[in-house]
């Protein structure tokens, strides 16, 4: 799947790419697709000593939110062993945010 576009003039670091790869194992239990496939991970920023991830949920009151946040943090720290903050964005998710919406099995 194509990576989310990096800001103009910058390429994702090897650490960021490793984290995004690890996050492909974090599944949304209700939909059965990864947080990457669903487009829930909006930003991964790795700086010395701290990783900062911004993500959203498919629904505002997702009952799996605490577990998904813990899984995202664990996946990130498994490949870049340092402090990791995961911020939940208030944005509304929609299938258009997915790199490949056809994974949901229907078209839009």
């Amino acid at each position: 799947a194509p990576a989310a576009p990096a800001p103009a003039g910058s390429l994702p670091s090897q650490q960021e790419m490793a984290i995004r790869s690890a996050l492909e194992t974090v599944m949304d239990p209700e939909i059965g697709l990864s947080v990457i496939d669903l487009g829930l991970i909006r930003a991964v920023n790795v700086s010395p000593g701290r990783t900062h991830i911004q993500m959203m949920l498919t629904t505002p009151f997702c009952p799996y939110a605490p577990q998904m946040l813990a899984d995202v943090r664990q996946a990130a720290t498994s490949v870049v062993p340092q402090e990791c903050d995961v911020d939940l964005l208030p944005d509304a998710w929609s299938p258009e945010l997915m790199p490949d919406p056809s994974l949901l099995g229907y078209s839009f």
Side-chain angles (χ1 to χ4, degrees):
S10 73
L11 292 171
S13 69
Q14 286 188 319
Q15 289 176 314
E16 180 185 332
M17 290 189 300
I19 289 171
R20 287 183 178 275
S21 179
L23 293 176
E24 290 178 10
T25 67
V26 178
M27 295 296 173
D28 180 303
E30 290 185 293
I31 299 175
L33 292 171
S34 79
V35 294
I36 295 291
D37 288 337
L38 288 168
L40 299 180
I41 303 299
R42 305 313 298 159
V44 176
N45 297 299
V46 181
S47 53
R50 183 168 300 271
T51 300
H52 189 94
I53 297 173
Q54 292 181 313
M55 70 175 289
M56 59 197 327
L57 299 171
T58 54
T59 60
F61 302 105
C62 174
Y64 300 105
Q67 185 60 51
M68 288 176 63
L69 289 171
D71 290 350
V72 164
R73 190 175 294 110
Q74 193 279 324
T77 57
S78 73
V79 291
V80 179
Q82 64 182 10
E83 288 290 317
C84 178
D85 298 322
V86 181
D87 289 341
L88 267 184
L89 300 172
D91 310 18
W93 177 83
S94 75
E96 289 81 37
L97 295 170
M98 296 174 65
D100 182 2
S102 68
L103 291 173
L104 283 178
Y106 50 85
S107 58
F108 301 95

